[in-house]
Amino acid sequence: MLLQIKQFLRREAILCLAVFLACASSLFQTPRLAYIDFDVLCVLLSLMLVVAGLKQVRFLDYVAVELLNRCVSRRQLTLALVGITYVSSMFVTNDVALLTFVPLALVIGKTLQLDMERIIILQTLAANLGSMLTPPGNPQNLFLYAHYNYTAGRFFCVMALPCLLSLAYIGVLIFRRMDAPLTLTLPSLPRPERRTTLVLLALLLVNIAAVLHVLPKLWALGVTLAAVLLLNRRLLLAADYSLLLTFIGFFIFIGNISHTSIAAYLQSSLLGTAAGTYLAALLSSQFISNVPAAMLLAGLTQEADALLLGVNIGGLGTMIASMASVISYKLFVAEQPTLAGRYLRTFLYYNFAGLLLIGGLVYCII
């Protein structure tokens, strides 16, 4: 029993933190139902169901295999794996992009007897940096987009510069290595069932429209649930309900502390300026991860753009700065346990270099 509790605490550390903070803050401030943003929860659940459906029909795997079989050099292979991770993370979240394409990279490494450590680290960078461009790219963007009532134009305007800087950074890392020819033939996957795939892609567009305030979020959830019940009701079990509970916990905590004197002090001091908010977001992300950092600081500052930039760029740095990074690390170490130390050193080198370069340039502009 004690072992099971320890495993749960380790597996759901962020959820436990959110519940603890919600309960502790409720001892000093009466929580209210109004603190919970049900619009965000609706969109989050809808997107999780759609993405689970796309994973089930193996749509992303099929597209990736077709693309990779056209690669004739090491550089083309790297560009394909990193590029598809970068682009897909904008729509299916950085976590899902890594869960889909890192295993594929590991299979290719076994097939060609290649060391895929560096490519997987580049995929991790691509997932964390690519996902920052769009609201549904990661949970903190989804939350901040709704919390500060962003428009699509304003959001993309804020994130355009770090996105371009990240592309340049990843491009330099890829092209600084010598190229070499290779022959790759992956077994073709069955073509995804056409009707189901088209329905799921249409649902993805519906939910992106809901995120961008084009369609009502509750309506999008209703359409998604109806389609899932018709296509495959087992998808309802695939949603990450612990993430929904984590959001609820942070919503309650944010609502509680927003009425305290501590919040008023932070709002008028450190978090009262764009530079202070940006640095606070960068630093806190390194220790508690960027999703909880975004939710904690959102209740304490009105500097929306600085917070948005800080938590997204703050996904670089330590392994826990973005929990998506932990996913690729675990997948790699499960296949190559003897290379764990080398992977971690290379990961930290690339990540902190990116954090200093991209984060520093953005800070100068702020």
Side-chain angles (χ1 to χ4, degrees), residues 25-347:
S25 60
S26 296
L27 297 175
F28 307 97
Q29 185 74 33
T30 304
R32 302 176 186 174
L33 187 63
Y35 294 158
I36 301 174
D37 192 330
F38 288 99
D39 280 349
V40 171
L41 298 178
C42 284
V43 172
L44 193 58
L45 177 58
S46 293
L47 286 171
M48 286 192 292
L49 293 174
V50 174
V51 170
L54 290 172
K55 285 175 63 179
Q56 186 183 69
V57 298
R58 304 193 71 182
F59 171 73
L60 293 176
D61 302 77
Y62 174 80
V63 172
V65 168
E66 293 298 309
L67 176 64
L68 291 168
N69 276 333
R70 290 170 170 77
C71 296
V72 295
S73 71
R74 177 75 179 258
R75 183 172 293 160
Q76 284 188 9
L77 174 66
T78 304
L79 279 170
L81 282 169
V82 174
I84 197 169
T85 304
Y86 189 91
V87 174
S88 63
S89 69
M90 300 178 187
F91 305 100
V92 298
T93 75
N94 49 0
D95 293 14
V96 173
L98 290 173
L99 283 169
T100 302
F101 301 120
V102 167
L104 189 57
L106 290 169
V107 169
I108 292 171
K110 279 186 175 180
T111 303
L112 300 179
Q113 298 299 305
L114 293 174
D115 177 11
M116 302 300 286
E117 168 195 327
R118 182 172 173 273
I119 291 179
I120 291 171
I121 291 172
L122 290 176
Q123 285 182 292
T124 306
L125 283 171
N128 288 329
L129 293 172
S131 64
M132 68 183 175
L133 182 63
T134 64
N138 51 56
Q140 71 264 20
N141 280 1
L142 192 63
F143 166 71
L144 293 174
Y145 190 89
H147 182 79
Y148 290 110
N149 200 29
Y150 270 102
T151 62
R154 178 61 185 170
F155 185 95
F156 293 129
C157 181
V158 172
M159 298 311 298
L161 176 61
C163 185
L164 291 174
L165 291 174
S166 71
L167 275 174
Y169 179 60
I170 293 172
V172 169
L173 293 178
I174 292 175
F175 283 93
R176 65 192 289 263
R177 285 291 184 94
M178 295 291 292
D179 200 7
L182 59 80
T183 302
L184 176 64
T185 304
L186 294 171
S188 296
L189 294 177
R191 185 183 294 271
E193 202 278 315
R194 182 181 177 84
R195 183 180 68 87
T196 302
T197 304
L198 288 176
V199 170
L200 290 168
L201 291 174
L203 288 174
L204 181 62
L205 291 176
V206 165
N207 283 285
I208 290 174
V211 172
L212 299 178
H213 310 310
V214 176
L215 295 173
K217 296 174 178 61
L218 191 58
W219 181 86
L221 175 61
V223 170
T224 302
L225 286 174
V228 165
L229 288 173
L230 290 172
L231 292 174
N232 183 2
R233 62 186 62 191
R234 291 182 181 177
L235 291 176
L236 294 172
L237 301 176
D240 186 357
Y241 293 103
S242 67
L243 181 60
L244 296 177
L245 292 174
T246 300
F247 267 62
I248 291 172
F250 278 121
F251 283 141
I252 294 172
F253 174 68
I254 292 168
N256 287 339
I257 66 168
S258 63
H259 297 91
T260 64
S261 57
I262 297 175
Y265 171 75
L266 290 173
Q267 287 171 338
S268 62
S269 55
L270 174 65
L271 300 177
T273 65
T277 299
Y278 177 73
L279 290 175
L282 278 181
L283 292 174
S284 58
S285 295
Q286 302 308 305
F287 301 100
I288 63 171
S289 188
N290 52 5
V291 176
M295 301 191 73
L296 287 171
L297 295 176
L300 303 173
T301 182
Q302 293 304 312
E303 296 291 343
D305 294 350
L307 179 56
L308 179 65
L309 289 166
V311 294
N312 276 285
I313 299 172
L316 298 172
T318 64
M319 181 72 71
I320 63 169
S322 170
M323 295 310 293
S325 301
V326 179
I327 292 174
S328 52
Y329 172 74
K330 287 183 175 179
L331 290 171
F332 177 81
V333 171
E335 291 289 329
Q336 303 281 354
T338 59
L339 299 179
R342 195 177 76 179
Y343 179 99
L344 185 57
R345 289 192 296 272
T346 307
F347 172 89

